[in-house]
Amino acid sequence: MPESACASAPTPATLAPQTEAELSAQVAQCHASARALEIAGGGTRTRRAAVPAATQLTTSAISGVVAYEPGELTLIARAGTPLDQIEQLLAAQGQALAFEPMDHRVLLGSNGTPTLGGMVAANISGPRRLQAGACRDHLLGVRFVDGRGRVIKNGGRVMKNVTGMDLAKLMCGANGTLGILTEVALKALPMAESQQTLAFAGVTPDAAVGIFSAALATPFEVSGAAFHDGTAWLRIEGLTRQVAYRRERLSALLRDHAIEIVDETASRQLWRDLRDVRHFAGSDAAVWRIHVKPTDAPAVLKALDMLGGQASLDWGGGLIWYAGNAAAAAVRQAAGAGVAVPVRPAPGTDLPPHPPQAPGVAALTAAIRRTFDPAGILNPGQMGS
C-alpha cells in the first residue's frame, strides 16, 4: 500500500507495514490528514468499536528476533514476533518470561497469533505476577513510532540505565494510544526446575483469601494463588528440594485445612488453564477483569453473586474474573473501590467502555496523549491500563 494511503483512501483501509521506516511514513501521512488508526498486533483480543472510517494497521509483519543473549538473560525482538516463537527460543535455553502472559485465544475463542508487541502494549501478565511482577517490570527498553510518525527509542539492555524518562514503562499498558511499538527488549529468567500445587477443596472465598494471606506472608515464595468453584490453589516453584521443603512448611502452617498435593504434570496444566481463564471459555456470558485490594475480594464476590454468573480469583485475591450478563453499571457498582474492565462482550453486544477516570487522572492522561499523539489518531476511544 502506498505511503499516502491514509491521505487518499475514501474508505477504511488496512495497513501492514513491513518495516519500521514504512510504518513511520504511513503514520506521518495519517497524522497530516488526521486519519484515525486502529492498531492491532496478531488480532487475538476483542477490540472495541472502531472510530468510523478508522484505518486498521497491523504490526504483525514487523517481526523477528534482533538479539538474544542467554548468559545475560536479555532478549530483543521486533513487535510482530509471535509470542510462541519467543517462548520456544527461551525454553531451549531453560529460560522463560517470568510474568507468564496469558493466551487470550482460549477465553475469547479468537484466531490470530499473539505477538510480543501486543503483549507489551497491553501489559499482559499471568498468575506469577504476584511473585515476579508484571510485564512492565521486565521491560528493558522499546522502540516505537509516535502519533507524528517519529521513531523514538528509550531504555537499553539492562535493568539500570540512565536514559532519562522511562518511556518503556509508560508504553507498556498504553494499548497503542501513545505510540506503535516496533521493537522491545525484555529480561528473561531461568525456568523453575520443579513445581507443585497445594489444593484446598471446599473453602469459601473468605477462607481462600485467608489462606492466600497466610501463605504470601511467609518466605516460601508462593508463585500462584488462585480460587475457583470452591477450591483454592497455592503454587510453589524452584529446585526440587526447595519445592519439597516449602510444601512441607506451608502444609504445616495451613494444617487446619484439608490439603491435596497436585503433582508436577497436573500442576503445570492447572496453571496454564487458570492463566488462560479456561473455566469461562465455554460460557456465552460477558467476561470482566476486576482489580481489587485482595482483602476486599470476598465482599466483591458476594456483590457479584447477587448479579448472577460466576467469579474466580487470581493474584492472591487481587484479580477477579467475572462471567455474567449484568449491566456494566451494576458490575462496576459491585466492584466497589475496584476497577472493572470488560474483556469479552456477550454474544450480539459491543464491548462496554472502560470506566471513567477521576478528573485529575483524566486530565493527566489527556496531556500525555497530546504530547505523543497531538492529532489523536492512535486508537482513539481506547484507554491505557
Side-chain angles (χ1 to χ4, degrees), residues 135-177:
C135 173
R136 61 167 50 97
D137 298 311
H138 298 262
L139 190 60
L140 304 176
V142 295
R143 289 176 67 95
F144 64 95
V145 174
D146 75 357
R148 291 185 176 94
R150 300 178 299 182
V151 177
I152 298 174
K153 178 182 178 181
N154 181 256
R157 300 189 182 194
V158 296
M159 289 304 292
K160 294 181 179 179
N161 60 69
V162 287
T163 54
M165 182 178 180
D166 196 350
L167 298 183
K169 298 293 192 296
L170 196 62
M171 292 293 295
C172 189
N175 289 308
T177 60

Side-chain angles (χ1 to χ4, degrees), residues 58-72:
T58 174
T59 59
S60 58
I62 304 176
S63 178
V65 175
V66 176
Y68 174 40
E69 300 177 15
E72 299 296 327

Side-chain angles (χ1 to χ4, degrees), residues 10-348:
T11 57
T14 298
L15 301 179
Q18 304 294 304
T19 65
E20 181 181 77
E22 185 179 350
L23 170 64
S24 174
Q26 291 174 348
V27 173
Q29 289 286 339
C30 291
H31 168 74
S33 60
R35 183 68 176 273
L37 287 170
E38 181 191 1
I39 316 302
T44 60
R45 290 192 295 279
T46 303
R47 302 182 192 178
R48 301 179 193 283
V51 170
T55 297
Q56 292 185 356
L57 186 148
T58 174
T59 59
S60 58
I62 304 176
S63 178
V65 175
V66 176
Y68 174 40
E69 300 177 15
E72 299 296 327
L73 296 171
T74 58
L75 170 82
I76 302 174
R78 298 185 183 94
T81 308
L83 190 53
D84 285 347
Q85 179 182 336
I86 297 298
E87 291 178 330
Q88 290 171 16
L89 178 66
L90 293 173
Q93 297 294 328
Q95 297 176 2
L97 297 173
F99 50 90
E100 203 172 8
M102 75 176 287
D103 185 342
H104 283 81
R105 293 175 296 184
V106 175
L107 176 63
L108 303 180
S110 58
N111 297 314
T113 302
T115 62
L116 192 65
M119 175 194 75
V120 173
N123 191 31
I124 303 301
S125 311
R128 202 177 288 114
R129 183 188 189 282
L130 62 82
Q131 180 199 44
C135 173
R136 61 167 50 97
D137 298 311
H138 298 262
L139 190 60
L140 304 176
V142 295
R143 289 176 67 95
F144 64 95
V145 174
D146 75 357
R148 291 185 176 94
R150 300 178 299 182
V151 177
I152 298 174
K153 178 182 178 181
N154 181 256
R157 300 189 182 194
V158 296
M159 289 304 292
K160 294 181 179 179
N161 60 69
V162 287
T163 54
M165 182 178 180
D166 196 350
L167 298 183
K169 298 293 192 296
L170 196 62
M171 292 293 295
C172 189
N175 289 308
T177 60
L178 304 180
I180 305 171
L181 291 166
T182 59
E183 185 178 291
V184 300
L186 284 164
K187 177 181 69 173
L189 286 179
M191 194 179 294
E193 178 183 281
S194 178
Q195 76 165 252
Q196 289 184 4
T197 294
L198 280 66
F200 303 80
V203 298
T204 64
D206 293 88
V209 171
I211 290 169
F212 299 156
S213 298
L216 293 170
T218 71
F220 303 135
E221 298 185 8
V222 172
S223 67
F227 169 81
H228 175 62
D229 198 22
T231 299
W233 298 278
L234 295 174
R235 179 176 60 184
I236 43 180
E237 298 178 290
L239 299 175
T240 302
R241 291 180 63 184
Q242 290 176 324
V243 168
Y245 172 76
R246 293 170 186 163
R247 181 197 67 218
E248 291 171 2
R249 294 299 301 271
L250 286 169
S251 296
L253 174 69
L254 300 166
R255 59 183 175 274
D256 290 341
H257 300 275
I259 303 173
E260 177 186 351
I261 305 301
V262 182
D263 66 27
E264 179 143 357
T265 300
S267 176
R268 293 188 184 279
Q269 184 61 55
L270 168 69
W271 287 97
R272 277 194 295 271
D273 291 345
L274 290 169
R275 179 198 72 181
D276 298 337
V277 200
R278 186 175 292 275
H279 46 280
F280 292 153
S283 167
D284 287 334
V287 175
W288 295 72
R289 287 169 58 101
I290 306 175
H291 299 260
V292 300
K293 186 167 66 175
T295 51
D296 289 345
V300 174
L301 288 187
K302 289 176 184 175
L304 291 171
D305 187 56
M306 298 293 290
L307 303 178
Q310 293 182 290
S312 62
L313 300 178
D314 202 346
W315 300 354
L319 172 62
I320 297 174
W321 288 98
Y322 169 67
N325 289 324
V331 174
R332 290 185 169 128
Q333 182 177 8
V339 178
V341 178
V343 175
R344 186 185 73 188

